[in-house]
Amino acid sequence: MDAATPHRPRLGVFKFASCDGCQLTLLDCEDELLPLAGEMDIAYFLEASSAPGPGPYDLSLVEGSVTTAEDAERIRRIRAESRTLVTIGACATAGGVQALRNFADVDEFREIVYARPEYIETLATSTPIAAHVPVDFELQGCPIDRGQLLEVITAFLAGRRPDIPRHSVCFACKRRGTPCVTVAHGTPCLGPVTHAGCGALCPAYGRGCYGCFGPSGSPNMPAMIPLLRSDGMSDEDVLRILHTFNVAKFAAIEPEREEP
């Protein structure tokens, strides 16, 4: 590069155990992606290019959880090559739905899912990226919100911290004028303990939030679970609604259940 040519930040986008949905959110930015591509060199993004470039990277976006020994080694290499590392989505920030294995027998899961489980090598747990390397910022969601992703990238280019709300989905319902489905209809809803980011999409269509953006900043689970029960959910139903995309994060803050 010529000495007079300004440095263009290099972007790397990496996938671990996941469905690719968060990477597709970046591709879905469409018109906004073109100006960003003019500000950055997209050096590594296998979802979009068959010509990946080597590090170092100024900004790395990492999707997916660590589920194999090879994953654990690879994320350490990526971290070493990245000036800023941002995890995107429930898998990368919480272990994803595959973290259900953390609370069960992984060998039994492997026998059920795969026709030839003897060829599958996996760790007993599915863990977020932050369990293995330092992470500069976490962007929650399953999948992540397009606007929030653009804010993260724009903030990086501007040299500031992303302005991502830390409040709950209930605030989003109030902002869009959506009646509370719990108060109005007795519908079970995780909105009070779920991180905002979806725009309160489900309550806007009359169904309760099911926690796809994970726990909010200070979730009051001891109050939430009795409310879910009073709205007609059994203990099994409560366990099921908390054990989805962000099972590891919700499980970490669940109050101890009383013995029957």
Side-chain angles (χ1 to χ4, degrees), residues 44-242:
Y44 189 104
F45 189 6
L46 293 181
E47 194 80 20
S49 172
S50 58
Y57 308 100
D58 294 287
L59 173 63
S60 289
L61 304 177
V62 179
E63 175 193 74
S65 64
V66 173
T67 59
T68 67
E70 290 78 8
D71 284 346
E73 176 59 32
R74 187 161 71 95
I75 192 56
R76 286 192 287 269
R77 292 198 303 269
I78 292 170
R79 173 71 269 188
E81 295 181 328
S82 305
R83 184 163 68 89
T84 299
L85 189 148
V86 175
T87 51
I88 56 173
C91 294
T93 61
V97 71
Q98 57 268 31
L100 285 167
R101 74 169 75 173
N102 301 3
F103 310 95
D105 183 348
V106 68
D107 291 328
E108 180 183 0
F109 274 31
R110 186 163 43 193
E111 293 282 343
I112 293 171
V113 173
Y114 297 100
R116 300 299 297 271
E118 64 271 21
Y119 294 122
I120 304 299
E121 293 186 5
T122 186
L123 299 174
T125 58
S126 173
T127 46
I129 300 300
H132 300 269
V133 296
V135 169
D136 297 299
F137 192 81
E138 292 187 336
L139 188 61
Q140 295 176 209
C142 186
I144 54 174
D145 175 72
R146 175 173 171 270
Q148 289 191 355
L149 177 60
L150 288 170
E151 164 61 17
V152 166
I153 298 174
T154 301
F156 166 78
L157 291 171
R160 59 174 175 80
R161 187 164 181 81
D163 182 16
I164 302 297
R166 306 301 299 174
H167 54 251
S168 72
V169 171
C170 290
F171 282 79
C173 280
K174 297 295 184 292
R175 284 178 174 175
R176 67 182 296 167
T178 299
C180 176
V181 296
T182 298
V183 173
H185 310 293
T187 301
C189 180
L190 288 179
V193 297
T194 298
H195 190 284
C198 63
L201 183 62
C202 289
Y205 287 91
R207 69 164 293 173
C209 168
Y210 54 92
C212 63
F213 270 66
S216 58
S218 302
N220 187 352
M221 297 306 291
M224 184 76 255
I225 290 180
L227 179 60
L228 294 173
R229 290 175 178 149
S230 70
D231 287 332
M233 298 189 79
S234 66
D235 286 347
E236 183 180 358
D237 292 333
V238 171
L239 192 65
R240 185 179 294 113
I241 198 174
L242 293 176

